[in-house]
Amino acid sequence: MLFRSIPMKLAGDQDYTLCVEGRNDNGIVQQEPTTFTWTKIGDFTTTFDGLPDEESNLTSLSVAVSGSQTIEYRYEILSVASDCSAVSFAGNWIAVDTPISETLGSDGTYTLCVQGRDDKAVEQDIPSSFTWIKDTVPPEYARVSETNLKKV
């Protein structure tokens, strides 16, 4: 038995067929080639527009979702875990022309986890994510007056 790698770069997301014609030790070629057909589907990511700053006092979220292959998505906003690996994404699929609009709860760390899906219903393997801190409490400053200043 002979095993040989066939190095080649596959162009884009499309159907491919590999045809192999075998030959035995006597040089006799098989009558019908062996074939294998598959569809190459590349990895894709979902992107965001309108994210808050990494530290933000925003009380609501309005984020546009897009991606070169993403036509729909589903999402979760985590306020405890900072990792999207445990998210089940049980919600319905949403068209990318519909932004994420949510009112945020109390101050703390939030993570937006988004799983995209393409036009062949292939789901994004690793969700796109963004983590930020919501802090609506303004900092406290000490007031200083001229009478408290010492001249040097």
Side-chain angles (χ1 to χ4, degrees), residues 7 28 42-43 47 50 58 64-66 80 88 102 121 127 129 132 138 140:
I28 299 172
D43 299 330
T47 57
L58 294 177
V65 177
S66 61
V80 178
S88 63
E102 291 283 342
S129 66
W132 75 100
E140 293 184 25

Side-chain angles (χ1 to χ4, degrees), residues 10-17 38-42 120:
L10 302 178
D13 293 355
Q14 58 188 1
D15 294 334
Y16 289 90
T17 300
W38 75 97
T39 302
K40 178 187 178 281
I41 300 172
K120 294 180 177 97

Side-chain angles (χ1 to χ4, degrees), residues 50-52 58-63 77 100-104 112 132:
L51 291 169
L58 294 177
T59 57
S60 63
L61 195 63
S62 180
V63 176
I77 298 176
I100 296 171
S101 296
E102 291 283 342
T103 300
L104 301 171
L112 172 64
W132 75 100

Side-chain angles (χ1 to χ4, degrees), residues 1-151:
M1 200 175 249
L2 175 67
F3 293 98
R4 184 175 297 175
S5 173
I6 305 171
M8 64 183 334
K9 185 167 178 75
L10 302 178
D13 293 355
Q14 58 188 1
D15 294 334
Y16 289 90
T17 300
L18 174 66
C19 300
V20 178
E21 200 170 70
R23 180 175 48 189
N24 67 15
D25 292 338
N26 295 327
I28 299 172
V29 177
Q30 72 185 76
Q31 292 184 1
E32 293 292 323
T34 302
T35 63
F36 179 75
T37 302
W38 75 97
T39 302
K40 178 187 178 281
I41 300 172
D43 299 330
F44 63 94
T45 57
T46 301
T47 57
F48 311 118
D49 188 33
L51 291 169
D53 294 332
E54 289 182 10
E55 289 187 28
S56 172
N57 63 357
L58 294 177
T59 57
S60 63
L61 195 63
S62 180
V63 176
V65 177
S66 61
S68 62
Q69 297 177 28
T70 306
I71 65 162
E72 54 191 5
Y73 68 92
R74 52 190 178 181
Y75 72 95
E76 295 285 336
I77 298 176
L78 309 176
S79 59
V80 178
S82 61
D83 185 326
C84 297
S85 63
V87 176
S88 63
F89 293 109
N92 294 326
W93 291 99
I94 303 165
V96 291
D97 59 355
T98 304
I100 296 171
S101 296
E102 291 283 342
T103 300
L104 301 171
S106 59
D107 286 2
T109 301
Y110 288 86
T111 300
L112 172 64
C113 303
V114 177
Q115 181 184 42
R117 187 161 76 168
D118 70 9
D119 61 349
K120 294 180 177 97
V122 174
E123 299 173 5
Q124 183 179 351
D125 286 336
I126 301 171
S128 299
S129 66
F130 178 76
T131 300
W132 75 100
I133 297 171
K134 177 188 170 196
D135 185 1
T136 58
V137 179
E140 293 184 25
Y141 296 99
R143 291 188 176 215
V144 177
S145 67
E146 283 187 42
T147 56
N148 292 344
L149 297 176
K150 293 182 181 179
K151 291 187 178 184

